[in-house]
């Protein structure tokens, strides 16, 4: 007797992604809707608050990022750091559009 392996399905639920979001048609629709594709290089503007003077000083910083994946409610970006390392961060679509400028 064999059993169905549900590891991949539970992993998708664990990461908050559904199988419908992984669909090719959905990805193409999101690419057209938000005018961004997987693999695109984008520049985003972030604000950093300094810790001196009660955090009143804000500094805008332009960061380079690569689009890793598109989801129904958010976008996943790989942001370059000063070193060779990079990190991934997700943003809601409204937040991404505001940061994109």
């Amino acid at each position: 007797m064999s059993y169905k392996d549900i590891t991949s399905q539970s992993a998708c639920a664990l990461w908050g992604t559904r199988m419908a979001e992984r669909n090719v048609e959905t990805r193409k629709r999101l690419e057209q809707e938000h005018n961004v594709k997987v693999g695109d290089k984008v520049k985003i503007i972030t604000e950093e608050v300094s810790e001196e003077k009660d955090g009143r000083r804000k500094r805008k910083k332009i960061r380079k990022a690569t689009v890793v994946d598109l989801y129904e409610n958010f976008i996943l970006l790989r942001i370059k750091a000063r070193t060779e390392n990079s990190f991934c961060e997700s943003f809601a679509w409204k937040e991404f559009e505001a940061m994109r400028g």
Side-chain angles (χ1 to χ4, degrees):
M1 178 181 253
S2 64
Y3 296 98
K4 184 178 179 183
D5 183 18
I6 60 166
T7 308
S8 63
Q9 294 172 353
S10 62
C12 287
L14 178 69
W15 288 98
T17 59
R18 295 185 305 240
M19 295 308 288
E21 293 176 339
R22 310 302 306 154
N23 200 344
V24 176
E25 292 88 21
T26 305
R27 179 177 287 162
K28 289 189 184 235
R29 179 182 56 80
L30 289 169
E31 286 177 351
Q32 291 177 351
E33 186 177 323
H34 298 287
N35 197 22
V36 67
K37 294 182 180 181
V38 174
D40 280 355
K41 307 274 187 203
V42 294
K43 291 182 182 179
I44 57 173
I45 301 170
T46 58
E47 284 187 357
E48 293 181 354
V49 178
S50 68
E51 294 184 17
E52 46 188 65
K53 297 184 182 177
D54 300 328
R56 294 181 188 172
R57 185 175 172 201
K58 292 183 181 178
R59 185 174 67 188
K60 291 186 178 183
K61 188 173 186 181
I62 298 174
R63 294 181 171 217
K64 295 178 184 177
T66 305
V67 178
V68 176
D69 212 347
L70 306 172
Y71 298 95
E72 196 70 39
N73 298 317
F74 61 93
I75 184 170
L76 183 64
L77 300 176
R78 176 171 286 119
I79 300 173
K80 279 184 115 177
R82 289 185 182 205
T83 61
E84 295 295 321
N85 299 331
S86 61
F87 61 94
C88 290
E89 192 170 346
S90 61
F91 299 98
W93 284 110
K94 284 187 176 184
E95 186 180 9
F96 172 70
E97 293 296 333
M99 291 170 58
R100 200 170 180 193

